[in-house]
Amino acid sequence: MRALLVTNPKATATTPRVRDVIIGALSARAQVEVAHTDHRGHAIELGTRAATHGYDLVIALGGDGTVNEIVNGLLADGPRDGLPALAALPGGSANVFCRTLGLSNDLVDATGQLLEALASGSGRTIGLGRLEGRWFVFTAGVGFDAAVVHGVELRRGNGRKASPFMYAGTAIRDFYVGEHRHRTRMQVALPGRPPVEDAFLAIVTNTTPWTYYKDTAVQLTPEASYETGLDLFALRKVGAASVARLLWQVTRKKPHPHGRKVTIEHDLQELVISSPDPLPVQVDGDFAGELDRVRIQSVPHALRVIC
């Protein structure tokens, strides 16, 4: 098996020594070529090369952003037979994709799980989402949550590492003083269903959980699955007490998010989010710019993953 291991040297949870150990372990199972990313978008280029140069497998060793870029490279020309499979190892701060596939959040344990999967040929084909031509593996968001993601990226630009506390602190600050919460008025159009009006946050998921706060799963759309279409969590403007109640609902062992200003839709094939003003957009936890109209589609059976 010919494998390309794509590593992000700036990933939160890895060190050069750990990476060397992981590379040695994987080399016992496959012919491994290692590529280190050195700029934004580099993993897209590497994924595109892997798709056209006869690799059997691409392994992401980094955070969810690295996974997203590799997927966008692999699927630059769309899903098709003969593409390399994808595997991922947890090297970031949240590692949502790895954990939704059932992998440990411990890098050494996850490597052991991947080696066992490679030995047994275990894997599955998953559906993905697509937002205005960009693929996402577990979530896309428009409005408030994307503004939080952008705020965290700006703070990381000052040399700080991402952490659950940074996301939580940014969210609290933006909730009370952020411009997007107060000026956002978006509509979510759903085929065959009434539109959602006056939302300030719209999160589209491809699986559950949406994210993790340390070891706590945050499940906005508990029914979401890689085997179905997309799910929607939309929220109209609420107060702090309602937010606290929602946080309790979505972090329980049996989550049940609901409320007068909450809209949840399951198994959607397509939706369109629009606003009079450009709104921040995020895909898989990476800021993707600002748009005033976003079309999001479900693409079933898009990619084979090893897990």
Side-chain angles (χ1 to χ4, degrees):
M1 175 183 290
R2 187 177 176 215
L4 177 64
L5 175 66
V6 179
T7 77
N8 179 1
K10 296 182 180 179
T12 305
T14 60
T15 65
R17 180 176 296 176
V18 169
R19 285 195 294 270
D20 288 344
V21 171
I22 300 305
I23 291 167
L26 293 172
S27 296
R29 179 59 60 184
Q31 178 186 342
V32 178
E33 178 184 333
V34 180
H36 303 289
T37 60
D38 59 18
H39 59 270
R40 188 164 190 152
H42 193 182
I44 297 177
E45 300 166 15
L46 294 169
T48 302
R49 179 162 69 87
T52 57
H53 284 64
Y55 289 89
D56 303 297
L57 174 67
V58 180
I59 306 168
L61 175 52
D64 292 311
T66 301
V67 173
N68 178 274
E69 286 198 2
I70 291 172
V71 168
N72 275 274
L74 288 173
L75 298 178
D77 294 323
R80 61 190 188 278
D81 293 337
L83 285 178
L86 173 70
L89 292 171
S93 57
N95 306 306
V96 178
F97 180 64
C98 289
R99 294 159 89 174
T100 61
L101 294 178
L103 293 175
S104 169
N105 199 38
D106 178 88
L107 181 53
V108 175
D109 288 346
T111 301
Q113 290 176 282
L114 176 55
L115 291 171
E116 291 174 1
L118 290 173
S120 65
S122 174
R124 57 194 282 206
T125 300
I126 64 172
L128 298 175
R130 202 168 190 196
L131 183 153
E132 295 295 331
R134 180 162 176 175
W135 297 92
F136 62 92
V137 295
F138 63 90
T139 190
V142 182
F144 178 74
D145 82 305
V148 172
V149 167
H150 190 207
V152 169
E153 289 191 3
L154 292 175
R155 294 173 75 181
R156 290 188 69 187
N158 294 327
R160 301 178 63 181
K161 288 188 176 182
S163 70
F165 299 105
M166 181 182 289
Y167 280 97
T170 303
I172 292 170
R173 182 200 65 193
D174 285 3
F175 184 81
Y176 286 104
V177 301
E179 60 173 320
H180 288 290
R181 177 176 180 264
H182 298 287
R183 72 175 174 86
T184 299
R185 293 292 183 271
M186 72 179 84
Q187 181 194 73
V188 185
L190 308 168
R193 313 183 196 192
V196 180
E197 302 283 359
D198 206 30
F200 85 96
L201 174 153
I203 294 172
V204 179
T205 62
N206 198 35
T207 184
T208 192
W210 166 58
T211 191
Y212 289 85
Y213 183 79
K214 295 185 177 179
D215 293 328
T216 301
V218 182
Q219 301 198 60
L220 301 180
T221 52
E223 292 186 281
S225 167
Y226 285 124
E227 281 68 51
T228 61
L230 301 170
D231 282 28
L232 168 71
F233 177 93
L235 186 63
R236 295 187 295 280
K237 189 176 179 181
V238 294
S242 297
V243 170
R245 184 167 58 250
L246 268 171
L247 288 174
W248 176 76
Q249 292 172 356
V250 301
T251 54
R252 298 167 60 190
K253 289 186 178 180
K254 293 184 178 180
H256 180 50
H258 63 281
R260 185 168 55 89
K261 296 189 177 182
V262 175
T263 299
I264 296 176
E265 298 286 352
H266 175 58
D267 197 14
L268 300 168
Q269 298 308 305
E270 180 177 310
L271 63 153
V272 175
I273 302 172
S274 58
S275 171
D277 303 304
L279 296 175
V281 178
Q282 63 88 5
V283 289
D284 290 336
D286 275 0
F287 180 63
E290 294 193 343
L291 297 170
D292 57 12
R293 186 182 185 277
V294 177
R295 182 187 183 201
I296 306 176
Q297 300 166 286
S298 172
V299 183
H301 313 299
L303 188 67
R304 179 167 173 77
V305 296
I306 305 299
C307 57

